[in-house]
Amino acid sequence: MKCGMSAEPIATTTSPARRAANFLFVVDEYVGHLHGVLGLAKRLMEAGHNVLFIGSRTSAAILRRENVLAMEETWLPLASPRMSWSSLFRRRSTIERRLVVLKHGRERIASIVRDVRPDLVIFDPFVLEYYPFFWEHNVRAVSVSTKPLFSFDPAIPPYTSLLVPDQTPMGRLRVLGAWAYRWIVDARDRLEFALRRLITGLAPRVSHRFTSRMVGYPLSRNWRTRPIRFDLRLADVPEIVLQAREFDFPRVRPLDPHAHFVGPCVDLRDVDADCSAYLPPGDGPLILCSLGTVRRVPDRMILNFYRHVIDAVASDQRYRLVIATGAEEEARVLQSRVPAGVTSIRVHGWLPQTAILRRASLIISHGGGSSLKEAIALGVPMIVYPRRADQPGCAARVVYHGLGLAAAIHSATPASISKAIDHVIANPTFKRRCEEMSQHFKAYDQNNVAVRKLCAFAAGEAA
């Protein structure tokens, strides 16, 4: 298996149709995004292709720990300046500094394209603003989404909504109401962006204008905004959706021809790892609880929720509980909450999640894409307590397909959590539905959908 691509052009001794292709990933720092694309990258490497990531120091360090080749680039990512009235007097210098960074990024991209000769660039949507710098070198590109597809359909609510749709007239009206709310929120965000740009000279969705003007990219024809601030789209960049279409809601409109479901590409490399040191003793049903690692600072609501989960399981020791907080300090605080004498609960900062999941009867999750896909792939039912971004939409899909339950995190109590746990574990239908969805997941890998699709894009053959 090839771990990456050389900085030198790769000599081809086989026919062009069979040669190893060069895939370049341009990524953001979000851990969920990185883990989401790692499964895709490793499938490409296992198929004999060459993979290189470029990202910030943070993302490069994470990727190297996963044994993939990653280059650290100082021009990634682009942060928006803090807004204050003093920013108004630094506006010109702020714009000039950003242009210097973008010029450096353009020069580095030209060098990378010259040395690596990528057949296809795979973008995190958060960094699509750099696409024009590849466009000027005629490099093919796709955008990869780790979220559900965000395109308007009157039967599907936006993925920021917890609404579970139905086909009744009232159900359709509720879906349209969810979209109307999304558009109102987006209008508010646009006003905020306009104010930020007026005061600081920069704002989200602004740097793409600079990059486009630098190279003459036809932005007005190709830029497609969505009613959400962090999910970007370019009309001439196809979108790869890292999910099974079977996990989506039924659509009444044709699928966007630029969107391609390639399967979840779950990375289960650690599924057989020895995780006994992380498990509480006993043989009762095992529950894994993890609400992700995206937050940058301790979150009082999440800590309180973990305490409620501990209280729910400690009061009824039929179950075993493992909590992964994503931070060792939080783990120590929560472990002290476990009642004395209770050995069925363990709290860790980090753990081998897929190995724990393989032994679990249930996962309590925030609804992040990676965790849900891992659970489904291993046939593990779930209880989802979403908070932001695509988590509500993922939770709604879990409920719609009968894979588990969903509830609001802010109203959770030990009693409600205990009741939900009992319901899911006692009802075998949830596990059966997860195993059925898991078969859909496996079919994508059996048919090699992701690799075949990306190779077709790399060769300029995909529509």
Side-chain angles (χ1 to χ4, degrees), residues 148-152 158-160 179 182 226-228 231 239 251:
L149 184 62
F150 198 104
S151 57
F152 175 74
Y159 65 51
T160 52
W179 278 106
R182 184 68 254 164
R226 285 168 161 161
I228 192 163
D231 196 340
E239 185 171 26
R251 294 180 172 270

Side-chain angles (χ1 to χ4, degrees), residues 69-284:
L69 188 61
M71 291 173 55
E72 180 183 314
E73 295 293 333
T74 58
W75 44 274
L76 280 167
L78 290 176
S80 295
R82 292 183 177 274
M83 188 168 62
S84 64
W85 289 115
S86 61
S87 304
L88 184 62
F89 302 101
R90 300 192 302 269
R91 187 176 188 274
R92 180 179 293 277
S93 61
T94 299
I95 294 174
E96 290 173 349
R97 287 195 301 272
R98 174 57 56 87
L99 290 173
V100 169
V101 171
L102 291 176
K103 181 180 179 181
H104 175 59
R106 183 185 182 186
E107 293 170 350
R108 285 292 302 139
I109 287 171
S111 176
I112 291 169
V113 169
R114 181 178 61 252
D115 294 341
V116 174
R117 296 184 183 176
D119 295 290
L120 187 70
V121 181
I122 302 172
F123 279 93
D124 183 310
F126 283 30
V127 291
L128 263 178
E129 54 208 336
Y130 288 110
Y131 169 71
F133 292 160
F134 289 92
W135 171 85
E136 79 172 316
H137 299 286
N138 298 312
V139 179
R140 300 184 183 96
V142 297
S143 171
V144 59
S145 175
T146 58
K147 300 172 173 61
L149 184 62
F150 198 104
S151 57
F152 175 74
D153 189 294
I156 300 181
Y159 65 51
T160 52
S161 171
L162 190 55
L163 176 65
V164 179
D166 59 60
Q167 300 303 313
T168 65
M170 184 56 67
R172 291 287 182 88
L173 189 61
R174 284 193 290 266
V175 169
L176 293 177
W179 278 106
Y181 175 75
R182 184 68 254 164
W183 288 320
I184 291 171
V185 172
D186 183 62
R188 181 200 65 190
D189 290 344
R190 288 171 184 269
L191 286 174
E192 177 195 333
F193 295 166
L195 183 61
R196 280 180 175 272
R197 188 182 181 196
L198 177 66
I199 294 176
T200 69
L202 299 175
R205 299 180 180 174
V206 167
S207 290
H208 65 276
R209 299 179 185 177
F210 294 143
T211 60
S212 300
R213 289 168 184 166
M214 283 181 176
V215 301
Y217 176 72
L219 182 64
S220 60
R221 186 177 74 239
N222 289 304
W223 187 254
R224 296 291 183 270
T225 58
R226 285 168 161 161
I228 192 163
R229 64 194 301 167
F230 50 78
D231 196 340
L232 307 181
R233 167 84 193 284
L234 285 168
D236 59 354
V237 177
E239 185 171 26
I240 299 297
V241 185
L242 288 184
Q243 188 51 272
R245 188 169 182 179
E246 293 81 359
F247 183 65
D248 202 2
F249 297 125
R251 294 180 172 270
V252 297
R253 287 187 173 183
L255 185 67
D256 185 338
H258 288 89
H260 305 265
F261 285 89
V262 299
C265 295
V266 182
D267 187 4
L268 297 177
R269 67 198 180 285
D270 295 329
V271 71
D272 294 320
D274 181 12
C275 60
S276 56
Y278 297 90
L279 301 178
D283 56 3

Side-chain angles (χ1 to χ4, degrees), residues 353-429:
Q353 180 160 300
T354 55
I356 301 289
L357 262 176
R358 189 171 72 85
R359 296 157 176 80
S361 300
L362 171 70
I363 180 173
I364 299 174
S365 171
H366 63 309
S370 295
S371 295
L372 290 193
K373 288 190 287 190
E374 289 169 358
I376 294 169
L378 295 171
V380 180
M382 57 208 80
I383 306 173
V384 185
Y385 293 89
R387 294 195 63 202
R388 60 171 70 92
D390 61 318
Q391 297 164 16
C394 288
R397 286 161 173 79
V398 165
V399 173
Y400 180 84
H401 292 290
L403 311 176
L405 304 177
I409 190 171
H410 58 80
S411 60
T413 65
S416 67
I417 294 170
S418 178
K419 183 178 179 180
I421 291 172
D422 288 342
H423 181 64
V424 173
I425 290 182
N427 190 338
T429 301

